[in-house]
Amino acid sequence: MDPKDRLIVALDVSSQEEMERLTKLLAPHVGYFKVGLEALTSIGIPRAVECVTWYAGSPFYDGKFMDIPNTVAGATRGVGKLGAKMFNIHCTGGRKMMIEARVAVDVMDPPKPLLLGVTILTSLKYDDFVDMGFFPRLVFPEGKEKRLQELVVSLAKLGQQCGLDGVIASPQEAPDIRQACGQDFKIVTPGIRPEWAQLNDQERVMTPFEAIKAGVDYIVVGRPITGHKDPVEATRMIVEEIRLAMGAE
Ligand code: C5P
């Protein structure tokens, strides 16, 4: 794969002008553009995606669907009409919901979008699941990380059984998912920071080089590119890192 095709730029913007400026500038240099909830709700759903396709960019529709199976199947058909190349649903929506999404993708005319699953949002910690009544309260912190990690891997495996093409995960989770789900299962990771970039609100990050070496297929990068004084130069540096890591794979 061309190293640039492994880079997904997160377009977390709230105006059409900004969306168009960035897509026009970056479309020749990156694989995909992630269009998430902020852009979708501010700009409008078809329009936000069109801002990407107008400039020959490939949209990743980050809508994170979770609803009853019939509703998710309908929303999936909508994603197909929008022309998104990737989209995602929550694995915690359950087996039936994931299968219905798979079936809705399967009946689409090619090119069919890649169907990805969100396992556990990386913003959630063990104790959040205790609050929700899913996990027992543990007195000692040992074991909390492990329980959460096991849950992520079992959700990825369930997603794979239901026909998902891959999952979104933190780079730290990638090696376990790769081991459990094999080489063909796609792993997409945010939480990526080149050494030259600020952390912003990300905490447990990996560089593009480390993430590709850890077995990730696609990396999602937002502010290090969109907030850079020269977004094209930032993109070039990241793609170069991906290229180097691919050479060392
Ligand atoms: O700007 P930055 O590179 O931090 O953007 C990362 C993107 O990935 C954002 O769109 C963010 O919402 C998304 N994301 C994340 N961590 C997750 C899930 C999604 O950073 N666990």
Side-chain angles (χ1 to χ4, degrees), residues 10 12 34 64 121-122 190-193 201-202 220-224:
D12 293 314
K34 185 171 84 65
K64 297 191 182 71
L121 293 170
T122 49
I192 302 295
R193 284 293 177 273
D201 51 359
Q202 297 283 9
V220 178
V221 185
R223 288 161 291 180

Side-chain angles (χ1 to χ4, degrees), residues 9-205:
V9 177
L11 293 175
D12 293 314
V13 299
S14 57
S15 79
Q16 184 172 336
E17 293 68 34
E18 186 63 354
M19 190 92 177
E20 286 197 51
R21 183 184 76 83
L22 287 164
T23 348
K24 195 174 169 185
L25 199 59
L26 299 173
H29 307 286
V30 306
Y32 299 86
F33 291 98
K34 185 171 84 65
V35 184
L37 296 177
E38 181 179 355
L40 294 169
T41 51
S42 315
I43 302 168
I45 291 181
R47 182 53 53 90
V49 177
E50 282 162 7
C51 288
V52 174
T53 50
W54 280 335
Y55 298 101
S58 297
F60 166 9
Y61 186 93
D62 184 17
K64 297 191 182 71
F65 296 151
M66 175 143 134
D67 209 312
I68 60 170
N70 183 60
T71 302
V72 167
T76 299
R77 288 191 289 274
V79 166
K81 288 183 204 137
L82 286 171
K85 297 288 195 302
M86 293 182 179
F87 76 108
N88 55 12
I89 61 177
H90 277 281
C91 296
T92 44
R95 186 187 291 274
K96 269 193 184 161
M97 190 201 82
M98 289 193 275
I99 291 174
E100 290 277 331
R102 177 75 261 163
V103 171
V105 172
D106 283 347
V107 297
M108 286 177 195
D109 292 331
K112 300 177 198 295
L114 220 52
L115 169 58
L116 303 169
V118 177
T119 53
I120 295 293
L121 293 170
T122 49
S123 50
L124 295 174
K125 302 266 182 305
Y126 181 93
D127 289 341
D128 293 306
F129 289 89
V130 175
D131 288 343
M132 293 187 268
F134 293 150
F135 277 162
R137 197 168 292 283
L138 293 180
V139 180
F140 302 108
E142 297 82 28
K144 289 185 180 181
E145 275 284 306
K146 190 164 170 279
R147 280 293 287 275
L148 216 49
Q149 183 83 2
E150 284 167 0
L151 181 59
V152 166
V153 172
S154 69
L155 282 167
K157 281 163 73 176
L158 177 63
Q160 189 176 35
Q161 280 172 22
C162 297
L164 265 54
D165 297 305
V167 285
I168 322 288
S170 87
Q172 283 79 12
E173 293 158 355
D176 284 354
I177 295 172
R178 177 64 67 224
Q179 199 182 10
C181 300
Q183 289 307 316
D184 294 337
F185 197 60
K186 304 291 180 221
I187 303 177
V188 179
T189 61
I192 302 295
R193 284 293 177 273
E195 267 165 22
W196 45 262
Q198 288 178 358
L199 282 182
N200 310 110
D201 51 359
Q202 297 283 9
E203 284 180 31
R204 294 163 62 226
V205 298

